[in-house]
Amino acid sequence: MGNVIIGQSGGPTAVINSSLAGAIRAAKDHGIKKVYGMHHGIEGFLNDDVIDLDIYFDDLYELSLLKRTPSAFLGSCRYKLPEIEGNEDTYEKMFLLMEKYDIEYFLYIGGNDSMDTIKQLSDYAAMHGKDQKFIGIPKTIDNDLPVTDHTPGYGSASKFIATTMKEIIRDNESFGASEPKLCVVEIMGRNAGWLTASSMLADDPDCNGPDLIYLPEVAFDPEAFIRRVHDLCLIKKSIVIAISEGIQLADGTLVCELGNDATFVDAFGHRQLSGAGKVLTNMIAEQIGYKTRTIEFSILQRCATHLASRTDIDEAYNVGYVGCEAAMKGETGKMITIEVLKRTPYVADYGIHDIHDIANVEKKVPLEWITNDGTYVSQEFREYAHPLVLGSLSKHTAGGVPKHLVL
Amino acid sequence: MGNVIIGQSGGPTAVINSSLAGAIRAAKDHGIKKVYGMHHGIEGFLNDDVIDLDIYFDDLYELSLLKRTPSAFLGSCRYKLPEIEGNEDTYEKMFLLMEKYDIEYFLYIGGNDSMDTIKQLSDYAAMHGKDQKFIGIPKTIDNDLPVTDHTPGYGSASKFIATTMKEIIRDNESFGASEPKLCVVEIMGRNAGWLTASSMLADDPDCNGPDLIYLPEVAFDPEAFIRRVHDLCLIKKSIVIAISEGIQLADGTLVCELGNDATFVDAFGHRQLSGAGKVLTNMIAEQIGYKTRTIEFSILQRCATHLASRTDIDEAYNVGYVGCEAAMKGETGKMITIEVLKRTPYVADYGIHDIHDIANVEKKVPLEWITNDGTYVSQEFREYAHPLVLGSLSKHTAGGVPKHLVL
């Protein structure tokens, strides 16, 4: 039996370290000799930047603290493996490094792009008769991985969004004695509106939730938007609007591109979007004339481990644990999935699925869950998302501020 | 013995409702017949918009939920009373309204501008032989009220800033395998840097805290800033910079005015600032060339009751309680203060002080607490601020999201 190596990749989440904790624990429970970490994912691994994790986890306290630490403990990367054909050198180098550390089990915690890494490596291993096992552990606040019911990281981001949205609505409605007060909240999500949809969870017996919710799944119509806002201003003093950063016009133009801010393109060719909220705020100022605030949740929605969901922490831990076990049972070229057996009371189990159906495929919010001419989401969405934000974990706090585990 | 009326004014805080809870509880403990609330502060009161609070608080559960509710439960306002001279009508109207509701004790929870309201009303009462008592209850996340050691609201905002700053630093350092990654975090504070200084509380055994901290108390030098950042980029892969929204050049020009965003002026003539972070981010992009993210905490720092400090909640409650008692003992034209008897272990008591020394006076961060050529704050600041972020209160959560009390 060889060793295990674990990598973390892509945008961090509040619970990506819980998956790492689960995988480490499974390796230890099953008598794996050495547990290694890739420093900054596959990019670091290619430079032989490997961490001996045994020195960090000699008792359970460190694992429990790791579950409470935001961001990627091992360091992350946004590195896309090249196509195999014509780049065999890169792959040979990687497999030589695996031999150097006697690695039999290769676990990669990530989203869409990271699952592509698992696909390429397992394809190469199959082509060249290599014995290493490659398993993907799902992770993304965007919740856009197919096959799995949802992805670890999404529940905690949703809990942050719902909680903070409710606090913002409360704050926004505290004024409003004279003219309407508006607030546009910009939430992450390039092509899939899962995160923005979660803002509807602020709709509680003691809160009406946001007034309008715009997802990238439906074309954004500026004229209809202004009409809606105008009508709301006639009947309400406090108006809060949730939008995805990636909302776009019918012709595919991103709303954020209507502003002045330059957009940045990352290594995967994804544009880093921001500014859609500001564009809508300016639109309201020019065409309706009321003061409007723009709030961008920015990376707070993916790193607010202080507000992580217990369901999410547990599931993230479990997919890590189950992923390590699956590799040890001989599975390869697959990703661990979450299967929800019952929504109420919530019962979930874990499955495994061929990576070829998953890598590079995006799952969007079903159109039938988007209501009110594309300005809200349905109760079916609530039933889906609600169990994922339940519960919390006690904090390890020192001096009023949560403690983290660091390399 | 007459009745009590309570108002909330100015920007909300995470604990302004704890002060309301304390004042209500004191009134009930001391047998006051009726407790009224001003709907949207003095502005609502002038329109006879008065709330009977007895119907909301018939058991202790509601008071405990009120302590966990962000924003101003009664509604807030930004309304400045006119000078007495030449505006006697307004004052006469107000005192007639007090007579209508048999109000003997007038409590106003607010910051600098709200204390001006207490000053004007108590001055008018003294001039015209009126018997009502007027007491100010301090509240502001800005911590800029004089005489009192600190203000309720500041500790919770500091706890949010320190916790979130630590999470941001963790997230920012997760990448950084190749070139430096920078992040500028813009924090509230027009003229006083108390909130921005709190970001140094992220400096823990497991975190180095922000790399640079800029307060409005010291003139901002763009050239020196770029030199500092440039030097940091030579030795670090992750750089996080905390700035006050109100930082300004030596000639008094606000840094945010160097950008394109229009500034909005409120009823008190205060400009609503934002954009300083974006200006510095653009400066770094143009002159150093590395990708830099801008994060604005915006109103999240004043409404994040889910992260409120226990010390702050308790002190906010207590100044409300003591304020009501002081009025009943015959005090008027004064504000309740917090007196810190010992920093470690923390021991605080409550005092009372003439409103004329307080209204319209701003307390800034002492220059001797600002270090490193104006780019950091000292251990003296830490000793001052640290006790204020300690502890937390159990949440009343339903469905994964905190419950609030609403009118």
Side-chain angles (χ1 to χ4, degrees):
Chain A
M1 187 167 63
N3 299 322
V4 62
I5 192 162
I6 311 165
Q8 297 177 308
S9 169
T13 76
V15 301
I16 184 171
N17 289 330
S18 283
S19 291
L20 176 60
I24 293 171
R25 184 59 196 262
K28 292 194 177 266
D29 281 354
H30 294 298
I32 297 262
K33 216 172 80 201
K34 290 293 282 179
V35 182
Y36 292 107
M38 309 175 208
H39 194 207
H40 295 295
I42 196 81
E43 187 174 11
F45 184 61
L46 265 168
N47 295 318
D48 198 4
D49 196 355
V50 167
I51 301 159
D52 179 351
L53 289 178
D54 291 331
I55 60 166
Y56 291 98
F57 301 100
D58 49 356
D59 77 26
L60 288 178
Y61 174 72
E62 276 84 20
L63 277 184
S64 84
L65 192 52
L66 182 60
K67 287 167 76 171
R68 290 158 169 90
T69 298
S71 186
F73 174 78
L74 299 172
S76 189
C77 70
R78 293 194 188 277
Y79 183 84
K80 195 174 171 63
L81 277 182
E83 288 304 310
I84 296 173
E85 207 184 315
N87 295 289
E88 285 81 1
D89 284 7
T90 303
Y91 288 83
E92 262 320 299
K93 184 177 174 192
M94 200 114 59
F95 279 86
L96 280 174
L97 281 166
M98 287 183 226
E99 280 163 32
K100 174 177 170 186
Y101 294 100
D102 190 19
I103 284 160
E104 190 170 352
Y105 312 113
F106 185 107
L107 307 177
Y108 211 45
I109 308 167
N112 268 303
D113 300 319
S114 312
M115 292 309 129
D116 182 71
T117 299
I118 289 294
K119 178 174 84 69
Q120 303 276 57
L121 287 171
S122 57
D123 283 354
Y124 186 88
M127 279 188 256
H128 294 81
K130 306 279 189 186
D131 287 333
Q132 289 88 348
K133 311 300 176 202
F134 299 90
I135 293 290
I137 314 288
K139 170 255 31 163
T140 166
I141 65 166
D142 291 329
N143 198 39
D144 58 353
L145 283 171
V147 186
T148 187
D149 180 82
H150 56 275
T151 55
Y154 174 59
S156 294
S158 293
K159 190 183 183 87
F160 173 87
I161 290 165
T163 300
T164 306
M165 181 59 78
K166 197 168 161 180
E167 291 174 336
I168 288 170
I169 292 169
R170 209 99 284 165
D171 187 286
N172 197 69
E173 71 195 5
S174 69
F175 290 96
S178 45
E179 64 176 29
K181 207 165 165 227
L182 295 95
C183 182
V184 176
V185 183
E186 182 180 319
I187 299 172
M188 281 183 173
R190 282 183 192 95
N191 304 312
W194 294 105
L195 288 168
T196 306
S198 297
S199 64
M200 83 92 82
L201 298 175
D203 179 355
D204 249 358
D206 58 7
C207 182
N208 289 328
D211 296 282
L212 299 167
I213 299 176
Y214 291 98
L215 312 188
E217 280 82 354
V218 173
F220 183 81
D221 176 349
E223 283 181 31
F225 168 72
I226 288 295
R227 271 200 309 277
R228 286 263 182 186
V229 174
H230 180 268
D231 291 350
L232 278 170
C233 288
L234 299 175
I235 54 169
K236 290 195 72 182
K237 291 292 188 193
S238 170
I239 296 156
V240 176
I241 301 161
I243 63 157
S244 286
E245 61 183 356
I247 52 169
Q248 43 194 283
L249 309 184
D251 68 3
T253 309
L254 289 161
V255 169
C256 66
E257 290 176 320
L258 305 176
N260 296 321
D261 284 5
T263 53
F264 178 87
V265 180
D266 75 8
F268 290 97
H270 302 315
R271 273 175 296 193
Q272 304 237 327
L273 314 179
S274 95
K278 198 84 197 154
V279 169
L280 297 197
T281 294
N282 290 340
M283 226 179 253
I284 294 169
E286 283 162 21
Q287 298 184 47
I288 304 185
Y290 292 129
K291 196 193 156 199
T292 306
R293 193 187 284 277
T294 321
I295 296 176
E296 293 178 22
F297 282 155
S298 187
I299 61 169
L300 275 55
Q301 59 203 297
R302 76 181 188 201
C303 66
T305 303
H306 77 268
L307 202 54
S309 134
R310 177 65 187 258
T311 306
D312 194 25
I313 293 172
D314 289 347
E315 290 185 342
Y317 182 89
N318 291 343
V319 293
Y321 195 99
V322 168
C324 185
E325 282 190 326
M328 293 181 72
K329 284 181 197 149
E331 298 278 12
T332 188
K334 295 185 177 170
M335 186 188 84
I336 304 302
T337 60
I338 300 174
E339 296 168 0
V340 176
L341 308 180
K342 225 181 279 176
R343 299 271 165 211
T344 316
Y346 183 69
V347 183
D349 198 358
Y350 303 93
I352 189 162
H353 196 94
D354 187 342
I355 200 77
H356 294 83
D357 295 339
I358 294 172
N360 308 313
V361 178
E362 270 182 333
K363 182 178 70 180
K364 299 188 179 185
V365 178
L367 290 179
E368 60 269 26
W369 288 3
I370 303 176
T371 61
N372 284 5
D373 303 329
T375 66
Y376 223 78
V377 287
S378 68
Q379 288 304 315
E380 283 82 3
F381 172 80
R382 177 192 288 278
E383 281 158 31
Y384 168 83
H386 185 244
L388 314 182
V389 307
L390 294 177
S392 56
L393 202 60
S394 67
K395 278 190 262 298
H396 290 191
T397 296
V401 178
K403 267 188 73 62
H404 301 157
L405 187 75
V406 280
L407 270 186
Chain B
M1 187 168 63
N3 299 321
V4 61
I5 193 163
I6 312 165
Q8 296 177 309
S9 171
T13 76
V15 300
I16 184 171
N17 289 330
S18 284
S19 291
L20 176 61
I24 293 171
R25 183 59 196 261
K28 291 194 177 270
D29 281 355
H30 294 297
I32 297 263
K33 215 172 79 203
K34 291 292 282 180
V35 182
Y36 292 107
M38 307 175 209
H39 194 206
H40 294 296
I42 197 79
E43 187 174 11
F45 184 61
L46 265 167
N47 294 318
D48 198 5
D49 196 354
V50 167
I51 301 159
D52 179 352
L53 288 178
D54 291 332
I55 60 166
Y56 291 98
F57 301 99
D58 49 357
D59 77 27
L60 289 177
Y61 175 73
E62 276 83 21
L63 278 183
S64 83
L65 192 51
L66 182 60
K67 287 167 78 171
R68 289 159 170 90
T69 298
S71 185
F73 174 78
L74 298 173
S76 189
C77 70
R78 293 193 187 279
Y79 183 84
K80 195 175 172 63
L81 277 181
E83 289 303 312
I84 296 172
E85 206 183 316
N87 296 287
E88 285 81 1
D89 284 6
T90 304
Y91 289 83
E92 264 318 300
K93 184 177 172 192
M94 201 115 57
F95 279 86
L96 280 173
L97 282 167
M98 288 182 224
E99 281 164 32
K100 173 176 170 187
Y101 294 100
D102 190 21
I103 284 160
E104 189 168 354
Y105 314 113
F106 185 106
L107 309 176
Y108 211 46
I109 309 168
N112 267 304
D113 299 319
S114 313
M115 292 309 130
D116 182 71
T117 298
I118 288 294
K119 179 174 83 67
Q120 302 276 58
L121 287 170
S122 57
D123 283 355
Y124 186 89
M127 281 187 256
H128 294 82
K130 306 280 188 186
D131 288 332
Q132 290 87 346
K133 311 300 176 204
F134 299 89
I135 293 290
I137 314 288
K139 169 258 24 164
T140 165
I141 63 166
D142 291 329
N143 198 39
D144 58 353
L145 283 172
V147 186
T148 186
D149 179 82
H150 56 275
T151 55
Y154 174 59
S156 295
S158 293
K159 189 184 183 86
F160 173 87
I161 290 165
T163 300
T164 305
M165 182 59 79
K166 197 167 162 182
E167 291 175 334
I168 287 170
I169 292 169
R170 210 96 288 163
D171 187 285
N172 197 69
E173 70 195 3
S174 69
F175 291 96
S178 44
E179 63 177 28
K181 207 165 164 225
L182 295 93
C183 182
V184 176
V185 183
E186 183 180 318
I187 299 171
M188 280 183 173
R190 280 185 192 97
N191 304 313
W194 294 106
L195 288 168
T196 306
S198 297
S199 65
M200 82 93 81
L201 298 175
D203 179 358
D204 249 357
D206 58 8
C207 182
N208 289 328
D211 296 282
L212 299 167
I213 299 176
Y214 291 98
L215 311 188
E217 280 81 355
V218 174
F220 182 82
D221 176 348
E223 283 180 31
F225 168 73
I226 288 295
R227 270 200 309 277
R228 285 264 184 183
V229 174
H230 180 266
D231 291 351
L232 278 170
C233 289
L234 299 175
I235 54 168
K236 289 196 74 184
K237 291 290 188 193
S238 170
I239 297 155
V240 176
I241 301 161
I243 62 156
S244 286
E245 61 184 357
I247 52 170
Q248 44 194 281
L249 309 184
D251 67 4
T253 309
L254 288 161
V255 169
C256 66
E257 291 176 320
L258 306 176
N260 295 321
D261 283 5
T263 53
F264 177 89
V265 180
D266 75 9
F268 289 97
H270 303 315
R271 274 176 295 192
Q272 302 239 325
L273 315 178
S274 95
K278 197 83 198 157
V279 168
L280 297 196
T281 294
N282 291 339
M283 224 179 253
I284 294 169
E286 283 161 22
Q287 298 184 49
I288 304 184
Y290 292 130
K291 196 191 156 201
T292 307
R293 193 188 286 277
T294 321
I295 295 176
E296 292 178 22
F297 282 155
S298 186
I299 60 167
L300 274 57
Q301 61 204 298
R302 76 183 187 200
C303 67
T305 303
H306 77 267
L307 202 54
S309 134
R310 177 65 188 257
T311 306
D312 194 26
I313 292 171
D314 288 348
E315 291 184 342
Y317 183 90
N318 291 343
V319 291
Y321 196 99
V322 169
C324 185
E325 284 189 326
M328 294 181 71
K329 284 181 199 149
E331 298 278 12
T332 188
K334 295 186 176 168
M335 185 188 82
I336 304 303
T337 59
I338 300 174
E339 296 168 359
V340 175
L341 308 180
K342 225 182 280 175
R343 298 270 166 212
T344 316
Y346 183 70
V347 183
D349 198 359
Y350 304 93
I352 190 162
H353 195 93
D354 187 343
I355 201 77
H356 294 84
D357 295 339
I358 294 172
N360 309 313
V361 179
E362 269 182 332
K363 182 178 71 179
K364 299 188 181 188
V365 177
L367 290 179
E368 60 270 26
W369 289 2
I370 303 175
T371 61
N372 283 5
D373 303 328
T375 66
Y376 223 78
V377 287
S378 69
Q379 288 304 315
E380 283 81 2
F381 172 80
R382 177 192 288 280
E383 281 158 31
Y384 168 84
H386 185 243
L388 313 183
V389 305
L390 294 178
S392 56
L393 203 60
S394 67
K395 277 191 264 297
H396 291 191
T397 296
V401 178
K403 268 188 76 60
H404 301 156
L405 188 74
V406 281
L407 270 186

